[in-house]
Amino acid sequence: MYDYLRARGLRCLYLIQRERTKEQLQKEFVGKTETLTLMTYQSLEMSVLWQKSIGEFDYIVVDEAQYFTNDGAFNDNTDVSFDWIFNQEQAVKVFMSATMESFRYYLLSKSIIWHQCNIPYSYGYINTLTFFYGDDQLEHIATEVIQRGGKAVFFIQSTEKALKLYQKFEKSMIFSCSKYNSKYKKYMNESLIASIVQDETFPTAILVTTCALDSGFNLRDSEIDTIVIDVLEHEALIQCVGRKRTVHKRDSIDLYIRGRTKQQLNGLLHSIQSDIRSIIKRDTDEYEYHISNKRQNSDNHLVVNRFVKYDADGQALYVKAKNEAKVSRLMYLCNNLLPKMLEENEGYNKYLAKWFGFYIEEKDKYLYSTISTKKSNLRDFLNSISGIEMLTPKDRIPLIEEIHATNKKGKLLKRVDTLNNVLKESGYPHRILVYTKTIKESGEAKKYNRVWKVVNPVVA
């Protein structure tokens, strides 16, 4: 494409998702900058927001196009770069990604017409697929890799969890997170990370990283034989697998993924549905939305202040507007992906097994394995505590952890109505009752305002 553009005197803007990916690509752009301009989406967004000149281009290549929806989970500005790109009416836009589903859903919501080209891709280099459940399994896998002299990349969604793992295996690991993470970046060896960017490999047994390396970044090292992923959203997970680039035909890996249960998926679904209800409230009764959010925008940033103009006194005027990239992502998860995964028990695992080619359709047989069992059978646990009163928040912790309903950031959900909805959607008859009770302690009456108790109406 560069030769085509240069021969015709055309200019191209090449957009990429991560600063480290940009650093890797820069060596391929040396001597080509009159034709090609390399920029991150975040730089583009800041330029647009600060009204800085960006220039005009004949072509715009949008690499890792899932950025607009996937990063919309934590970045409030992905709609800014998206809108700017589509306002460049003179430019041909080329979108590229290995995970187009959520972005395609976003395009459909905007009634945008495009031409699509699918390039076949095989995961034949994955030898085995294994699902694990407990955090202790991260340590077991790391120990096994180190003892046999292997080499692995661990992708962990929680920076705190990634750091704890690194601190237990510091002599055999390199820790990586976003350079903009002010709390954790001090634990990262910047010069060592820079060498990984340059050499596309690392000198230790294990590289443990957050999703800061989840897309675009390349690791070309045939000694990397294991990838471990503790990331929830499937498109980010698929991007993590793609960081390993095969060097030769015999180059292969063993893939480990944290398994997710039906109740965990239901917890995520209910959290998303709650966010979507807040948007519906804004669309149907903006005044009620305004009051219920205490005149502020919602905590989930689905609604943002969008600049309109300056008034006669030079004051900036704004309107409350939906962040369409964030909303589209939630609608895709709620209406498309999660219902597919919830069609059957262990749907998350089976969905991914099919994606990575570990399913024989003719025999309806899955080829993955599990190296750890879930803490216990939830039904047995609920039966074991039925009728037991939980007087304090501390008493409720085992129940909350066992149901393990989480929001999109992986945080445990603790509201009774949410937990009861998860139990209902997962097919359990048990429900959590909440009531007030006064108990005599040391001769004095003590009132407990929120006592929890699990009941099973079927048994009762």
Side-chain angles (χ1 to χ4, degrees):
M1 184 175 179
Y2 166 71
D3 293 336
Y4 174 89
L5 295 170
R6 184 183 61 173
R8 290 160 179 78
L10 302 174
R11 297 187 67 230
C12 174
L13 174 63
Y14 193 106
L15 293 167
I16 195 64
Q17 181 178 7
R18 300 282 184 258
E19 188 66 35
R20 287 180 182 145
T21 311
K22 179 185 174 184
E23 291 170 9
Q24 276 196 332
L25 281 174
Q26 278 177 330
K27 57 188 177 184
E28 298 181 35
F29 282 65
V30 174
K32 303 176 181 179
T33 53
E34 285 188 10
T35 301
L36 304 176
T37 298
L38 181 62
M39 182 183 287
T40 63
Y41 294 107
Q42 295 85 350
S43 296
L44 173 62
E45 289 154 8
M46 289 301 100
S47 296
V48 172
L49 291 172
W50 288 101
Q51 299 182 335
K52 293 182 179 179
S53 175
I54 300 166
E56 292 188 0
F57 300 90
D58 304 289
Y59 280 74
I60 300 175
V61 174
V62 184
D63 203 355
E64 307 298 347
Q66 77 282 350
Y67 163 80
F68 303 106
T69 47
N70 285 10
D71 276 37
F74 52 86
N75 180 346
D76 297 336
N77 297 323
T78 62
D79 62 319
V80 174
S81 52
F82 181 90
D83 290 343
W84 182 89
I85 291 166
F86 275 93
N87 285 332
Q88 310 311 300
E89 296 180 356
Q90 80 289 347
V92 176
K93 293 100 178 165
V94 180
F95 296 90
M96 303 191 299
S97 176
T99 51
M100 275 288 200
E101 286 81 4
S102 63
F103 176 65
R104 188 159 44 218
Y105 191 92
Y106 188 24
L107 291 180
L108 286 169
S109 72
K110 291 179 166 291
S111 301
I112 292 171
I113 299 172
W114 70 93
H115 301 283
Q116 183 168 312
C117 176
N118 293 322
I119 300 173
Y121 190 79
S122 170
Y123 289 101
Y125 63 93
I126 302 177
N127 285 328
T128 61
L129 173 62
T130 306
F131 290 95
F132 66 95
Y133 287 89
D135 287 347
D136 59 323
Q137 291 301 321
L138 293 171
E139 295 182 31
H140 292 328
I141 299 169
T143 300
E144 191 272 333
V145 168
I146 294 167
Q147 288 179 347
R148 66 173 170 76
K151 203 166 187 179
V153 185
F154 282 57
F155 292 94
I156 300 179
Q157 187 164 323
S158 166
T159 311
E160 181 181 3
K161 190 190 295 185
L163 179 63
K164 285 181 180 178
L165 186 66
Y166 163 71
Q167 289 174 332
K168 289 185 178 180
F169 298 92
E170 196 166 340
K171 293 182 179 179
S172 302
M173 278 190 182
I174 296 173
F175 171 74
S176 173
C177 67
S178 169
K179 64 173 69 175
Y180 303 107
N181 189 324
S182 58
K183 183 177 180 180
Y184 293 101
K185 67 178 183 180
K186 62 184 177 182
Y187 299 100
M188 189 168 51
N189 186 326
E190 292 279 6
S191 61
L192 194 53
I193 298 299
S195 70
I196 295 174
V197 171
Q198 181 65 33
D199 301 335
E200 300 185 350
T201 185
F202 50 92
T204 56
I206 297 173
L207 168 65
V208 58
T209 178
T210 63
C211 289
L213 292 185
D214 73 341
S215 62
F217 190 91
N218 294 327
L219 291 168
R220 302 182 194 274
D221 184 346
S222 59
E223 293 184 0
I224 298 174
D225 56 18
T226 304
I227 292 181
V228 182
I229 304 176
D230 185 357
V231 175
L232 176 58
E233 289 202 22
H234 89 296
E235 288 192 352
L237 186 153
I238 293 165
Q239 290 289 339
C240 291
V241 174
R243 294 316 96 222
K244 156 80 173 184
R245 305 296 192 183
T246 54
V247 179
H248 49 69
K249 291 183 178 180
R250 298 182 306 280
D251 198 354
S252 61
I253 62 163
D254 295 319
L255 178 59
Y256 295 83
I257 299 174
R258 178 182 283 274
R260 310 288 173 171
T261 63
K262 190 174 181 180
Q263 58 261 32
Q264 287 174 303
L265 295 183
N266 271 314
L268 176 61
L269 181 60
H270 284 296
S271 174
I272 291 172
Q273 288 171 336
S274 176
D275 287 341
I276 291 174
R277 281 194 294 271
S278 73
I279 288 298
I280 293 173
K281 181 184 288 185
R282 177 201 170 273
D283 289 344
T284 56
D285 192 337
E286 192 164 350
Y287 180 77
E288 182 183 340
Y289 173 89
H290 190 62
I291 298 302
S292 63
N293 281 283
K294 300 178 181 179
R295 301 192 298 166
Q296 303 298 316
N297 294 332
S298 57
D299 292 338
N300 51 32
H301 298 176
L302 293 174
V303 175
V304 295
N305 292 330
R306 183 157 290 169
F307 173 76
V308 178
K309 63 178 180 179
Y310 291 101
D311 65 14
D313 297 323
Q315 296 294 316
L317 300 179
Y318 298 87
V319 295
K320 289 185 184 293
K322 286 189 296 187
N323 187 318
E324 293 184 352
K326 285 180 177 288
V327 174
S328 176
R329 170 183 166 273
L330 294 184
M331 295 295 286
Y332 165 72
L333 292 173
C334 183
N335 298 333
N336 190 303
L337 180 62
L338 289 176
K340 286 181 182 178
M341 291 182 171
L342 287 166
E343 286 176 357
E344 54 185 331
N345 289 329
E346 304 298 327
Y348 181 88
N349 299 3
K350 290 181 177 179
Y351 182 93
L352 290 174
K354 287 181 178 178
W355 182 278
F356 290 117
F358 285 81
Y359 173 69
I360 302 175
E361 187 173 3
E362 300 79 26
K363 299 181 180 180
D364 191 25
K365 184 178 180 180
Y366 292 88
L367 303 176
Y368 66 83
S369 58
T370 304
I371 59 170
S372 63
T373 57
K374 297 173 281 297
K375 290 181 182 178
S376 66
N377 181 286
L378 180 59
R379 188 179 297 273
D380 291 342
F381 177 80
L382 293 170
N383 287 335
S384 71
I385 66 169
S386 290
I388 298 175
E389 292 182 321
M390 292 163 268
L391 303 177
T392 68
K394 185 177 180 181
D395 297 334
R396 306 166 198 156
I397 291 175
L399 174 61
I400 292 169
E401 290 183 342
E402 196 68 34
I403 296 176
H404 204 82
T406 59
N407 64 11
K408 52 187 174 291
K409 294 182 180 179
K411 184 177 179 180
L412 280 174
L413 302 175
K414 303 177 182 179
R415 290 172 57 90
V416 169
D417 56 349
T418 300
L419 298 179
N420 277 331
N421 279 331
V422 170
L423 293 175
K424 179 181 178 181
E425 293 289 335
S426 299
Y428 296 99
H430 309 75
R431 296 294 180 268
I432 305 168
L433 298 182
V434 181
Y435 53 89
T436 300
K437 185 172 184 177
T438 301
I439 300 175
K440 277 193 175 183
E441 296 180 359
S442 302
E444 295 185 3
K446 184 172 182 179
K447 186 177 181 181
Y448 292 90
N449 291 319
R450 291 184 62 79
V451 179
W452 285 22
K453 182 168 70 174
V454 173
V455 298
N456 186 342
V458 175
V459 175

